Amino acid sequence: KYFAELTLDVVEEQIFQKRMQEESGPRLVHLRQNAIGQVTIPPHVEQNGVSTARAQTWTNHPKVDRTMFIMDRRLEMQGRGRQDLASQRHVPALRAFDMRKNFG
């Protein structure tokens, strides 16, 4: 009722199905809980803290699990840009002049 119907592309759907089978839950997100450990209403997906990796298991509800997967993938991709720059992957070559190609 609280989560939208999500459609994943072919590649993301395959990654989602693989994670559902092989992993216990999302890597970087969890559902917010109240003081007695129940999921809050309306439910809210939050980022895990530093020490709470994989605290949430899959709920076996298609809308909820897909939403947590999308939030998880978004957080994974967000940090990937910095990692690629640090390891000098996908960094464009800087050119001094447009006319002369500087291949370094």
Side-chain angles (χ1 to χ4, degrees):
K1 174 178 168 177
Y2 295 103
F3 289 94
E5 192 72 40
L6 296 172
T7 304
L8 302 172
D9 66 351
V10 176
V11 176
E12 292 294 323
E13 181 66 32
Q14 290 173 350
I15 294 170
F16 173 67
Q17 294 299 330
K18 184 178 178 182
R19 283 198 187 175
M20 284 285 292
Q21 292 174 357
E22 295 177 358
E23 298 181 10
S24 62
R27 299 173 181 176
L28 303 172
V29 297
H30 65 276
L31 293 171
R32 181 189 295 170
Q33 296 180 349
N34 60 15
I36 57 174
Q38 297 174 340
V39 176
T40 59
I41 301 294
H44 183 75
V45 178
E46 292 183 332
Q47 186 175 358
N48 286 346
V50 177
S51 63
T52 58
R54 298 193 186 209
Q56 176 72 43
T57 59
W58 296 115
T59 63
N60 294 324
H61 189 282
K63 288 182 182 180
V64 177
D65 287 343
R66 287 180 192 278
T67 301
M68 287 195 298
F69 172 74
I70 291 295
M71 299 288 286
D72 198 45
R73 288 290 288 173
R74 181 184 58 86
L75 288 170
E76 285 177 358
M77 295 300 179
Q78 183 179 6
R80 188 164 288 171
R82 270 183 301 213
Q83 292 171 354
D84 287 346
L85 282 175
S87 65
Q88 296 185 351
R89 250 186 298 173
H90 310 297
V91 177
L94 299 176
R95 295 185 176 157
F97 301 102
D98 288 335
M99 299 294 184
R100 291 181 12 205
K101 294 185 179 181
N102 182 10
F103 291 110

